[in-house]
Amino acid sequence: MFWKNRRVFVTGADGFIGSHLAERLVGLGAEVTALALYNSFDANGWLDDSSVAVRESMTVVRGDIRDPHQMAGLCKGQDVVMHLAALIAIPYSYDAPSSYVQTNVQGTVNILQGALRAGVTRVVNTSTSEVYGTAQFTPINEDHPLQGQSPYSASKIAADMMVDSFARSFDLPVVTLRPFNTYGPRQSERAVISTVIRQALDPSCGAIRVGELTPTRDFNFVDDTVSAFLAAAQLDGGHTGQAFNAGSGRMVSIADMVTMVGHITGCDKPVIQEEHRKRPAKSEVMALMADASRFTAASDWISSVSLEEGLSKTIEWWKSRLDRVRGDAGYMV
């Protein structure tokens, strides 16, 4: 009953994880204000994929976290702020790093200041496993050094430090969640699992084209990540200012993931590595595997959906959307 009638502001609710989170909160009885990035297409991102009943059960607002005044207004009267809005594409961060500072750093400061002034009782800040860079040891716990191996990860490190400073300086009741490699329905083709599945299923694709196959990742199905956000928001005040990993503690190579997708889909297309899909050598993160024991001890959360089960669910979703995919299967960002 924790969420019944609780007022929750979700930034990035139009995105992949945010839309799933907003839907789950509505189902739990929360009063959800869902922020979608303003655009001129009368579109609310993945919220438009929700049922009419779900959309009508939340307040959808178009805006931009870069506007401090709008964010301050939207934080008023809220009990919880789930902050997911961000620029997240790593390749694009090489081309436009300043935009990542404006959105991920300044945008986060705007949310923190708005929440502080509004007296919000809990803020959950979304970080990423990318802040750790290539693992110096595995599994990675929250004490692992932070390494900005891309402008994206550097901007998220900066945002995490601003969160830490607001907890220390102003006692803002904020915690940081670091999900490891979430995947599932609605994820953009800029992500490796999505692009592999699309190419495996799409008859117009004669091969599966990827970048590096050797990096290893800790993949987690989106339902588990949403549960992690809910658990993080319910942590008591003794955890204010802390960061928590959310991952399975299992690591699989990109090559093995591609093989698994091929097995589930029955696809035997050749796999081709393309140089232009690879990150700069010193920017590629070669290994990520979570130690989520701190979060589990604090909240009892665990990653429960196996990779094979999650891939199967994601593949079924893609099958239902093949008639609506973008024309070009070579999506890079």
Side-chain angles (χ1 to χ4, degrees):
M1 299 297 292
F2 178 86
W3 295 103
K4 185 70 174 176
N5 298 323
R6 201 169 293 264
R7 295 161 296 181
V8 186
F9 176 36
V10 182
T11 75
D14 50 342
F16 162 44
I17 300 173
S19 62
H20 287 282
L21 176 59
E23 286 178 341
R24 181 88 69 88
L25 285 164
V26 166
L28 292 170
E31 298 177 10
V32 177
T33 299
L35 180 67
L37 181 64
Y38 174 80
N39 63 83
S40 60
F41 303 106
D42 196 30
N44 298 306
W46 283 115
L47 290 174
D48 290 337
D49 209 50
S50 302
S51 69
V52 173
V54 168
R55 285 200 306 275
E56 290 181 347
S57 296
M58 64 178 77
T59 301
V60 180
V61 178
R62 294 196 182 115
D64 194 321
I65 61 169
R66 293 175 296 180
D67 190 302
H69 308 291
Q70 185 187 30
M71 294 307 103
L74 289 171
C75 284
K76 288 181 180 178
Q78 303 294 338
D79 299 311
V80 178
V81 174
M82 299 283 204
H83 176 41
L84 289 83
L87 283 176
I88 61 175
I90 292 171
Y92 184 56
S93 78
Y94 302 132
D95 296 329
S98 292
S99 64
Y100 284 68
V101 174
Q102 294 161 17
T103 299
N104 297 351
V105 185
Q106 185 59 56
T108 296
V109 171
N110 294 340
I111 294 297
L112 296 173
Q113 288 182 320
L116 181 65
R117 292 168 183 164
V120 170
T121 57
R122 169 62 73 207
V123 180
V124 180
N125 169 59
T126 309
S127 184
T128 168
S129 55
E130 288 282 333
V131 300
Y132 297 122
T134 296
Q136 297 181 14
F137 55 82
T138 56
I140 298 170
N141 62 30
E142 293 85 353
D143 296 324
H144 188 287
L146 305 183
Q147 304 175 94
Q149 289 183 211
S150 66
Y152 162 67
S153 63
S155 72
K156 295 299 283 186
I157 291 170
D160 286 3
M161 293 302 100
M162 292 305 301
V163 167
D164 184 62
S165 75
F166 268 68
R168 294 176 186 274
S169 301
F170 310 114
D171 293 321
L172 180 68
V174 59
V175 296
T176 289
L177 188 70
R178 290 184 179 142
F180 277 61
N181 298 98
T182 302
Y183 70 96
R186 302 179 183 168
Q187 189 172 32
S188 163
E189 287 180 65
R190 63 163 192 83
V192 64
I193 286 181
S194 292
T195 192
V196 167
I197 291 174
R198 186 260 170 88
Q199 292 179 87
L201 294 176
D202 192 340
S204 70
C205 298
I208 296 176
R209 301 178 184 277
V210 296
E212 288 285 356
L213 287 167
T214 55
T216 55
R217 294 292 185 265
D218 185 334
F219 291 115
N220 295 269
F221 191 59
V222 64
D223 287 355
D224 280 334
T225 300
V226 167
S227 295
F229 275 97
L230 299 177
Q234 296 178 65
L235 293 172
D236 62 43
H239 299 291
T240 291
Q242 294 184 12
F244 295 95
N245 292 338
S248 70
R250 299 181 294 273
M251 191 161 55
V252 62
S253 70
I254 303 301
D256 287 344
M257 179 274 294
V258 174
T259 298
M260 192 176 296
V261 169
H263 173 73
I264 297 170
T265 59
C267 171
D268 60 358
K269 296 176 183 179
V271 178
I272 299 174
Q273 289 184 268
E274 295 183 330
E275 287 298 320
H276 68 281
R277 288 180 177 269
K278 298 179 181 180
R279 300 188 198 179
K282 293 181 180 179
S283 183
E284 179 62 82
V285 174
M286 297 307 297
L288 288 172
M289 182 172 72
D291 176 353
S293 59
R294 179 186 294 180
F295 190 37
T296 299
S299 69
D300 293 329
W301 177 88
I302 60 168
S303 176
S304 61
V305 179
S306 71
L307 180 57
E308 186 168 13
E309 180 186 355
L311 286 176
S312 297
K313 290 181 178 181
T314 308
I315 287 165
E316 287 305 308
W317 180 83
W318 269 98
K319 286 179 178 177
S320 72
R321 297 190 62 85
L322 273 182
D323 60 339
R324 287 170 282 172
V325 296
R326 63 193 303 277
D328 179 12
Y331 194 23
M332 290 294 299
V333 297

